[in-house]
Amino acid sequence: GYNIAVNCNGATGLVVVVQVDKGPGTKWNTIYPDRQIEPNLRILQVNGLSDCFEMVDELRASSEAVIRFRRPVKKRLLVIREPRSKLGVTLLDFDASSVWVDQVLDLGAVPEWNEQNPLEKVTTGTRIVEVNGVSGNVHRMYEQLRKEGVLELVVESHGPETANRKEPAAQGWFPKPSQAKKMGL
């Protein structure tokens, strides 16, 4: 196989790189250091296939593949969590240093943020990489996420769940943003 570990969310069709093991992916990374295959890249297609499960099967079976990736966009959000309110998301550990939004619920601070910021929504597959200045440790990040008041989140997002395949970001590689965009309330 291609030796890329992925997370496949069948409900949304989202396939995201979790880890790159020794094999074609690391060989690519050596040859193209400016276009690394790395965790949290969204996989849009593998050998022309775009179904979540078919892409995973193809990655397992192929030692060569044409893969279309989409790099996440890093952004800073200020979310207000009222006293005794919920955050409004279900979360999973992405790795030892970040948290994955598995589901956005109907009520809570994040759904309220989404309602007020429809172009910057937090969706399934958004990766939280920092909370109130805490990064690199999911346990400490969860402690921050339980707090009330203003939560300053740094997230990596792949954009709308229905990505426009003609959008430049969906066409392959593009440079990482140089700075996170500061989002106001």
Side-chain angles (χ1 to χ4, degrees):
Y2 213 74
N3 290 339
I4 296 177
V6 298
N7 182 324
C8 175
N9 185 320
T12 62
L14 187 67
V15 180
V16 177
V17 174
V18 177
Q19 181 176 326
V20 181
D21 293 323
K22 188 173 182 177
T26 53
K27 186 175 181 179
W28 171 275
N29 287 348
T30 301
I31 297 168
Y32 302 101
D34 61 326
R35 297 179 281 171
Q36 297 283 296
I37 299 172
E38 58 193 5
N40 206 28
L41 287 181
R42 181 176 181 179
I43 298 177
L44 301 172
Q45 286 185 340
V46 178
N47 292 338
L49 301 172
S50 58
D51 174 78
C52 176
F53 300 109
E54 289 177 354
M55 287 191 287
V56 171
D57 289 342
E58 189 71 12
L59 283 170
R60 285 185 185 133
S62 300
S63 60
E64 291 186 12
V66 175
I67 306 172
R68 289 186 139 186
F69 294 100
R70 183 175 192 187
R71 290 198 181 277
V73 175
K74 190 176 274 192
K75 52 191 169 185
R76 189 172 303 272
L77 313 175
L78 298 176
V79 176
I80 299 175
R81 184 170 183 183
E82 299 294 336
R84 295 175 301 286
S85 71
K86 301 278 185 186
L87 193 55
V89 292
T90 57
L91 302 170
L92 300 171
D93 296 359
F94 182 86
D95 54 25
S97 63
S98 62
V99 179
W100 169 277
V101 175
D102 186 53
Q103 183 180 15
V104 178
L105 306 174
D106 293 332
L107 298 173
V110 171
E112 188 174 313
W113 161 267
N114 285 348
E115 188 175 305
Q116 295 171 3
N117 301 276
L119 299 177
E120 300 292 333
K121 286 185 175 185
V122 173
T123 60
T124 296
T126 297
R127 182 176 171 213
I128 302 172
V129 296
E130 183 180 313
V131 183
N132 293 339
V134 174
S135 63
N137 182 312
V138 292
H139 302 294
R140 291 184 54 225
M141 291 169 62
Y142 279 125
E143 288 173 8
Q144 293 298 313
L145 288 166
R146 288 186 196 95
K147 292 183 176 182
E148 298 171 346
V150 176
L151 299 174
E152 185 175 352
L153 308 177
V154 177
V155 301
E156 291 182 351
S157 175
H158 295 95
E161 292 176 1
T162 55
N164 177 355
R165 301 277 184 197
K166 294 182 180 179
E167 179 182 339
Q171 293 299 317
W173 299 102
F174 63 100
K176 292 181 183 179
S178 59
Q179 294 181 338
K181 183 178 177 184
K182 181 82 172 182
M183 300 304 300
L185 293 175

